[in-house]
Amino acid sequence: MNAHSFQQPVAVDPGAAGSRPADAGSLVESLAALLVELGQCDARTVERGRRVAADSGQRLDKVLLQLGLVTERGLAEAYARLLNLPIATPDRYPAAEPLFADRLSTRFLRSARALPVAEGDGRLMVAVADPLDAFVPAAIASAAGLPVSLLVGVPIELDAALDRLYSDAPAAAAADAPDGTAEPSEEDAERLKDLASEAPVIRLVNQIIARAVETQASDIHIEPFEDRLRIRYRYDGVLHEADSPPSRLTAAITSRIKIMSRLDIAERRLPQDGRIKLAVRGQEIDFRVSTIPSLYGETVVLRVLDRSTVAFDYARLGLPAPVIAKVNAALDLPNGIVLVTGPTGSGKTTTLYTGLLSLNSVARKVVTVEDPIEYQLAGVNQIQVKPQIGLNFASLLRSILRQDPDVIMVGEIRDLETAQIAVQAALTGHLVLSTVHTNSAAATISRLRDMGLEDYLLTAVLRGVLAQRLVRRLCPHCATEGEAAPELVRRFDLERRTDGRPVRLWHPVGCDKCRGTGYRGRQAIAEFLAPNADIERLIFARAEHTEIERAAVAAGMVTMFDAGLDAALAGTTTIEEVVRSIRAEA
């Protein structure tokens, strides 16, 4: 049953709020059983939490959450199911002014993690993170002089609403920094460090990061402008704006992130790169940090590297079975070069890591040269490029060959020197995996040729090129099916793909499961070019990539655009997404 369908909240009257339908202990045990029933955790996890709770004297549900054994949203849904309460969705929180600000102190609401969301029919609706705590609604009912009806708030959304509605609290703390200076001078690194160490700033940065992890964002963009500080999260390749903190906190937030990633907080003139490793909601998460100076401060981008949300499996990435078979056949060869191509953010690294993990074994030595290392792979020797000390792809690749590896992954082939060393490695019995930035598999051959690689070397070592893009998946909870528009059918010749059956396509709608976008998650659409005799003749004839692509299609290659249309007809994505991703002219 969906927790959002409950419409009868628990009512709490002033002076009579301490009652509960059952004692707290039995409610917690019922909650634990419900968490197992809903699949939020298993019985062994509950037992582990129960032992920790007995040792620490804390409530079982709080222990499960602190240890990261259940998610905030999963626990909130269990609370709602147990107590027959609705969940407070983000749109239910007040848009501008907090309710009863003159009677309810900010400090109390923050510590209690509670927020009044609406008043009507002589009642006050209050979102709480812990609906099992009888004291909080009783205190609010007493202070407001109204009966209280509870909603279950997801902590990360509740905290965000509190920060937005009561933003003066952290702003005031910033204003109370040494000498009352909210914006320290460029040279005063110590004052900047003090400002970044203020508790409200620390809490705000932690909130920004936790929200990204909880909502499965891939990036956090922090961008200062003249009159505001903009926070945006990237979901499924598309940026979405979030509630923004006061602009006066720009320097404090930037400095806090720099301290966490061990960057120089006094250096604001040059770009800097760093990493943060944090336990967020009980999960170990890596963040790649990049700062760049802009007109009104430094733009900061944090790339969320959450191994638990990445699927190193070709099928789960969305690659069709024929492409997976061709990729595996190329990786099974004892030597040669296998390339993955596509623009930035097209999933090339994830695909390469999936291939590496399939090759990783005790019998093989696998070495990677990366810039940067995105995910740590057990059993794989991973090396970080450091151009500032002369440690680039070419020099590292030359040194790695002396260590007798079986499989080598080069993060990117971007110049002739790296390409030549990779070819030499393939010719001497190594399997080399790498990426190139091109728009199609056939264009990769032209790109390598333009770098200066000789045709005879290219044909001798190239075993296959996988070109891919990422398209957003339709949300399975709200997508609707309908008959395709005749113009769309004619434009993309869709009838040919359905054997004359009526063409039906699925369309995005939007719901709370997909943040109202109609899409949830992404999948790869790809083409795989395996050189054959005809393609090799075209390479020697220095043919254009369009001729090479035609020869590959004649040999059985399905182009990326055709693979995207097949995915749209299968109902996993939309034609609009395919066109947006590939930018195909049709």
Side-chain angles (χ1 to χ4, degrees):
M1 186 180 295
N2 191 332
H4 292 273
S5 65
F6 295 114
Q7 298 299 324
Q8 299 299 324
V10 170
V12 180
D13 291 324
S19 60
R20 271 293 183 268
D23 65 89
S26 62
L27 278 174
V28 170
E29 287 303 317
S30 298
L31 180 70
L34 188 57
L35 287 169
V36 174
E37 179 188 332
L38 295 175
Q40 300 293 344
C41 60
D42 54 31
R44 292 180 60 185
T45 298
V46 171
E47 279 305 313
R48 176 185 168 194
R50 193 173 278 120
R51 288 194 298 270
V52 175
D55 292 339
S56 64
Q58 291 181 289
R59 248 174 43 201
L60 173 60
D61 52 327
K62 292 185 175 293
V63 168
L64 291 173
L65 184 62
Q66 288 173 3
L67 294 178
L69 302 177
V70 295
T71 65
E72 287 185 341
R73 188 169 299 277
L75 185 59
E77 290 177 356
Y79 282 142
R81 178 82 170 266
L82 178 70
L83 300 173
N84 200 25
L85 295 174
I87 286 184
T89 52
D91 59 337
R92 298 193 69 164
Y93 293 114
E97 297 295 327
L99 300 176
F100 290 89
D102 57 334
R103 302 189 198 179
L104 300 169
S105 77
T106 305
R107 180 175 296 180
F108 169 74
L109 293 176
R110 284 188 181 278
S111 63
R113 292 183 108 170
L115 181 64
V117 297
E119 180 188 0
D121 297 327
R123 290 190 169 277
L124 181 61
M125 303 288 289
V126 178
V128 293
D130 180 10
L132 299 185
D133 184 351
F135 172 76
V136 171
I140 293 175
S142 178
L146 288 174
V148 166
S149 295
L150 295 184
L151 298 87
V152 180
V154 179
I156 195 165
E157 296 171 354
L158 188 56
D159 290 344
L162 283 166
D163 286 336
R164 174 169 54 81
L165 293 168
Y166 297 96
S167 59
D168 287 344
D176 290 337
D179 299 332
T181 308
E183 282 288 346
S185 63
E186 287 276 337
E187 295 80 12
D188 197 348
E190 285 305 314
R191 186 177 299 162
L192 198 61
K193 189 179 296 183
D194 290 341
L195 181 56
S197 301
E198 290 284 337
V201 173
I202 293 173
R203 184 172 61 244
L204 183 57
V205 171
N206 289 344
Q207 173 66 28
I208 291 169
I209 290 173
R211 180 176 181 181
V213 175
E214 180 74 17
T215 57
Q216 297 187 351
S218 61
D219 304 89
I220 309 169
H221 293 251
I222 302 172
E223 303 159 321
F225 294 95
E226 183 177 14
D227 57 344
R228 68 188 182 116
L229 176 64
R230 183 167 70 177
I231 307 291
R232 293 193 290 175
Y233 296 93
R234 190 181 296 279
Y235 299 106
D236 302 328
V238 179
L239 285 169
H240 297 264
E241 190 163 353
D243 295 328
S244 298
S247 60
R248 71 182 74 185
L249 293 179
T250 297
I253 290 172
T254 302
S255 299
R256 176 61 189 164
I257 293 172
K258 283 184 170 184
I259 289 171
M260 295 170 72
S261 52
R262 294 185 171 86
L263 299 179
D264 184 357
I265 63 171
E267 179 55 77
R268 294 182 174 186
R269 302 164 300 170
L270 297 173
Q272 297 187 68
D273 294 304
R275 290 181 84 98
I276 302 173
K277 190 166 188 174
L278 285 177
V280 180
R281 313 296 190 204
Q283 298 172 265
E284 281 290 336
I285 311 290
D286 279 348
F287 299 87
R288 201 169 74 212
V289 182
S290 171
T291 68
I292 294 178
S294 65
L295 184 60
Y296 296 105
E298 291 175 282
T299 296
V300 182
V301 176
L302 290 86
R303 179 83 183 273
V304 184
L305 304 175
D306 184 357
R307 175 69 182 268
S308 66
T309 63
V310 179
F312 293 121
D313 178 83
Y314 291 128
R316 288 180 63 188
L317 291 173
L319 296 180
V323 171
I324 295 173
K326 290 177 181 178
V327 171
N328 286 333
L331 295 180
D332 284 341
L333 296 172
N335 55 60
I337 295 179
V338 178
L339 298 173
V340 180
T341 184
T344 301
S346 60
K348 299 187 299 296
T349 302
T350 304
T351 300
L352 280 179
Y353 279 175
T354 304
L356 280 180
L357 288 175
S358 69
L359 294 169
N360 188 24
S361 68
V362 176
R364 289 193 185 98
K365 183 179 178 70
V366 182
V367 182
T368 73
V369 184
E370 303 173 64
D371 183 22
I373 297 172
E374 292 205 8
Y375 297 98
Q376 296 177 16
L377 305 177
V380 175
N381 300 279
Q382 296 174 271
I383 305 170
Q384 169 74 52
V385 168
K386 294 179 181 176
Q388 62 271 25
I389 59 171
L391 208 61
N392 54 33
F393 283 119
S395 62
L396 273 171
L397 192 51
R398 193 178 290 109
S399 299
I400 285 169
L401 290 176
R402 302 190 191 106
Q403 296 220 343
D404 191 28
D406 297 291
V407 180
I408 304 169
M409 189 196 93
V410 184
E412 182 185 351
I413 293 177
R414 59 179 68 157
D415 54 50
L416 178 59
E417 184 181 12
T418 306
Q420 288 176 329
I421 300 170
V423 166
Q424 290 300 319
L427 287 171
T428 52
H430 304 86
L431 181 63
V432 180
L433 282 62
S434 190
T435 69
V436 182
H437 283 281
T438 58
N439 290 326
S440 67
T444 302
I445 294 172
S446 300
R447 175 81 179 106
L448 292 172
R449 193 166 56 200
D450 291 344
M451 282 184 190
L453 201 61
E454 292 87 347
D455 296 336
Y456 72 92
L457 290 176
L458 192 54
T459 56
V461 300
L462 190 62
R463 301 293 180 258
V465 182
L466 178 74
Q468 70 178 52
R469 299 286 190 281
L470 292 178
V471 295
R472 291 183 291 174
R473 294 181 192 264
L474 281 165
C475 174
H477 300 282
C478 64
T480 59
E481 188 182 14
E483 192 169 339
E487 182 184 347
L488 206 61
V489 174
R490 286 194 301 271
R491 182 181 179 189
F492 297 107
D493 194 15
L494 298 179
E495 283 184 336
R496 175 174 58 87
R497 301 173 180 277
T498 60
D499 299 325
R501 297 190 308 274
V503 179
R504 298 184 67 80
L505 296 171
W506 290 77
H507 306 283
V509 176
C511 65
D512 60 333
K513 300 285 186 182
C514 58
R515 297 175 298 277
T517 63
Y519 297 95
R520 189 176 183 187
R522 289 191 289 178
Q523 71 176 77
I525 53 175
E527 61 188 21
F528 188 85
L529 186 152
N532 58 18
D534 291 338
I535 291 174
E536 288 179 1
R537 280 196 291 272
L538 289 171
I539 293 173
F540 279 117
R542 305 190 72 78
E544 292 294 322
H545 68 87
T546 52
E547 294 181 62
I548 296 173
E549 183 171 293
R550 280 196 293 269
V553 170
M557 183 183 84
V558 178
T559 66
M560 260 190 303
F561 190 68
D562 286 340
L565 292 180
D566 289 340
L569 289 169
T572 59
T573 188
T574 63
I575 289 180
E576 292 81 7
E577 262 300 290
V578 174
V579 173
R580 181 189 69 83
S581 177
I582 301 179
R583 290 166 169 53
E585 295 293 334

